[in-house]
Amino acid sequence: MSSTASGKNGTWRNWGGNVSARPAREVTPASVDELAAAVRRAAEDGLKVKAVGSGHSFTSIAATDGVLIRPQLLTGIRDIDREAMTVTVESGTPLKRLNVALAREGLSLTNMGDIMEQTVSGATSTGTHGTGRDSASIAAQIKGLELVTADGSVLTCSEKENPEVFAAARIGLGALGIVTAITFAVEPVFLLTAREEPMPFDRVLTDFEELWAENEHFEFYWFPHTGNTNTKRNNRSAGPERPVPQLQSWFEEEFLSNGVFQVANWVGRAVPATIPAIAQISSKALSARTYTDIPYKVFTSPRRVRFVEMEYAVPRAAVVETLRELKTMVDRSGLKVSFPVEVRTAPADDITLSTASGRDTAYIAVHMFQGTPYQRYFTAAERIFTAHEGRPHWGKVHTRDAEYFSRVYPRFAEFTELRDRLDPDRRFQNDYLRRVLGA
């Protein structure tokens, strides 16, 4: 999977292929000083500034017609503090490189999402998360941040230093400054046993609270047009390590989940009427399996089939009802949906604009294969999610604006006031931020 795709004549495109932009210039700084200088120069030229990671957001959160900052030279581990159990890493470091480097040091993040192509700052700034009963998003594992603010100065923040900036900037949407380094809490590397098995949709919903309570990390995928789901339970294990055998791993990850799935989606896109039949086959293709490995090898998996995604965070207490409504809507709508719906959870956290801010949360993600019309499905799904005071993922498709967010985020004004202070001239503004944060 390529990182940020750039097209001809200076056009930037995101991974999902649904957003493009033509920046006035691109800068690839090799140091924090160079980045700060680029921000100051942009101000002199009256240009807006945006940093872009691997382009994994489906929203135009990173798009700009001003200066596009590419952080690929700002990578690597700056410092490992084994007493404090923290690791400080440059903001452009891809998660997959961080995971491998930490494992070599006998360390690991506590929790992570299922994709690891993103840069650490892109992933945290948009609120990327996995699933967890007690452990929250990647941003919730941040202990300190360094960011270049609108006037080109470098600000460090933590619970003790600039705590009000720290509360917001962990998921800062690129609105408060450009993150240059992140200090994460880490722990000694541990083993997880993953238990994956098919389960009927109705049973998962009936037993949802139990499945959530009994597992450290529970998630499931429901295949629309079927009553089938695939469940995944990850729990810490004393070992021994029992990875998925290589041939089986290739067959399941590359062939079934990516190769065959790609072909099935091509067929479905060409002949939508075939989708329900394909869904029945897809939902039964992956058999039950159990394996034990280090965290990033259990939490993450390759995603080669490109898609567009909408994901909403609803109160955990509302997830079963929300899913029943979603299934009813799909069944009655005549829509043909070839991608499974993904359901995960997170505990409440204390980050100002985290989708789990102040409430125990469940995530429901709907996807469509790249190149298929997704508006009708996403619009109908969004209507259901917003009726439950859903909060959309900042990096995924949604139509919400500042007026809506001021209702579903109790601390919304706290964030916008901080932005007024740190970026009064809106150096980091773009159309997306104008919509979601207000002018």
Side-chain angles (χ1 to χ4, degrees):
M1 189 184 300
S2 70
S3 65
T4 335
S6 244
K8 294 183 183 71
N9 57 29
T11 303
W12 170 82
R13 282 184 203 291
N14 70 337
W15 182 85
N18 64 321
V19 176
S20 62
R22 293 195 63 177
R25 63 172 178 256
E26 289 190 18
V27 183
T28 310
S31 67
V32 176
D33 288 345
E34 279 184 26
L35 197 157
V39 170
R40 285 193 294 268
R41 199 185 141 207
E44 284 160 23
D45 297 343
L47 293 170
K48 305 286 187 195
V49 185
K50 279 274 119 210
V52 65
S54 58
H56 245 279
S57 288
F58 300 98
T59 58
S60 51
I61 191 164
T64 186
D65 56 5
V67 178
L68 191 69
I69 306 265
R70 290 183 175 275
Q72 61 257 43
L73 299 181
L74 299 173
T75 62
I77 291 177
R78 262 193 208 179
D79 177 59
I80 297 177
D81 183 337
R82 288 187 186 269
E83 245 169 71
M85 285 307 275
T86 60
V87 169
T88 301
V89 60
E90 305 269 339
S91 61
T93 309
L95 283 167
K96 62 177 169 195
R97 256 192 249 157
L98 174 64
N99 287 332
V100 171
L102 287 178
R104 252 185 229 142
E105 297 284 346
L107 301 168
S108 176
L109 291 169
T110 300
N111 199 353
M112 59 195 80
D114 57 358
I115 296 177
M116 53 175 180
E117 307 300 324
Q118 310 102 311
T119 58
V120 291
S121 61
T124 54
S125 295
T126 53
T128 298
H129 60 89
T131 190
R133 182 188 60 204
D134 314 302
S135 56
S137 70
I138 310 179
Q141 298 167 67
I142 295 176
K143 290 291 175 203
L145 279 178
E146 174 186 271
L147 66 160
V148 171
T149 55
D151 61 3
S153 57
V154 181
L155 186 72
T156 53
C157 60
S158 64
E159 276 174 9
K160 293 190 174 69
E161 198 179 356
N162 298 304
E164 73 298 343
V165 178
F166 183 66
R170 284 173 286 168
I171 299 181
L173 318 185
L176 305 174
I178 294 176
V179 176
T180 48
I182 300 176
T183 301
F184 288 107
V186 290
E187 57 177 306
V189 73
F190 53 95
L191 292 173
L192 283 172
T193 292
R195 187 171 147 208
E196 298 175 8
E197 62 174 333
M199 199 180 283
F201 181 76
D202 289 332
R203 195 189 134 198
V204 175
L205 295 198
T206 305
D207 297 348
F208 183 81
E209 272 303 303
E210 215 169 294
L211 289 161
W212 168 81
E214 287 172 2
N215 295 284
E216 289 169 66
H217 308 274
F218 172 67
E219 64 186 302
F220 70 93
Y221 296 85
W222 163 58
F223 294 80
H225 315 298
T226 79
N228 307 328
T229 78
N230 240 318
T231 62
K232 185 170 177 175
R233 290 171 252 198
N234 299 330
N235 290 288
R236 292 196 184 214
S237 160
E241 223 168 296
R242 283 212 179 88
V244 182
Q246 242 172 337
L247 185 63
Q248 185 189 349
S249 163
W250 176 84
F251 181 69
E252 284 165 349
E253 297 292 359
E254 295 303 327
F255 184 68
L256 282 179
S257 300
N258 286 301
V260 171
F261 192 50
Q262 175 88 34
V263 173
N265 272 283
W266 281 333
V267 172
R269 185 167 67 186
V271 191
T274 59
I275 286 174
I278 292 170
Q280 285 292 346
I281 298 161
S282 297
S283 68
K284 296 187 170 85
L286 291 169
S287 49
R289 61 177 186 171
T290 302
Y291 54 96
T292 302
D293 215 327
I294 61 173
Y296 83 85
K297 294 187 178 177
V298 174
F299 284 133
T300 67
S301 50
R303 289 279 187 277
R304 305 201 200 292
V305 182
R306 302 219 172 194
F307 52 82
V308 178
E309 179 178 0
M310 167 182 279
E311 180 185 68
Y312 265 77
V314 298
R316 204 186 70 238
V319 67
V320 170
E321 192 189 337
T322 309
L323 284 164
R324 288 198 200 282
E325 289 168 14
L326 189 68
K327 185 174 191 300
T328 302
M329 180 275 288
V330 170
D331 290 346
R332 288 182 184 161
S333 65
L335 286 163
K336 301 284 183 275
V337 181
S338 63
F339 248 85
V341 172
E342 184 180 22
V343 182
R344 296 176 289 173
T345 69
D349 66 39
D350 64 348
I351 303 171
T352 318
L353 290 187
S354 163
T355 44
S357 185
R359 72 183 190 194
D360 289 338
T361 292
Y363 294 99
I364 304 174
V366 297
H367 311 69
M368 273 297 216
F369 183 48
Q370 189 180 37
T372 30
Y374 60 83
Q375 281 81 357
R376 201 172 130 231
Y377 175 37
F378 284 14
T379 301
E382 192 172 39
R383 200 171 293 138
I384 292 167
F385 300 148
T386 53
H388 293 280
E389 297 203 329
R391 298 169 178 169
H393 187 300
W394 296 108
K396 297 176 186 176
V397 175
H398 68 88
T399 65
R400 303 295 89 191
D401 60 15
E403 196 265 330
Y404 178 83
F405 291 124
S406 66
R407 292 203 307 272
V408 296
Y409 282 101
R411 297 166 64 191
F412 187 75
E414 196 182 307
F415 189 96
T416 54
E417 281 159 22
L418 181 66
R419 179 186 183 218
D420 288 342
R421 199 182 95 209
L422 290 178
D423 187 12
D425 300 327
R426 300 291 185 261
R427 185 65 44 223
F428 304 118
Q429 174 91 289
N430 63 4
D431 290 343
Y432 180 76
L433 291 183
R434 190 177 293 116
R435 169 163 72 93
V436 301
L437 296 176

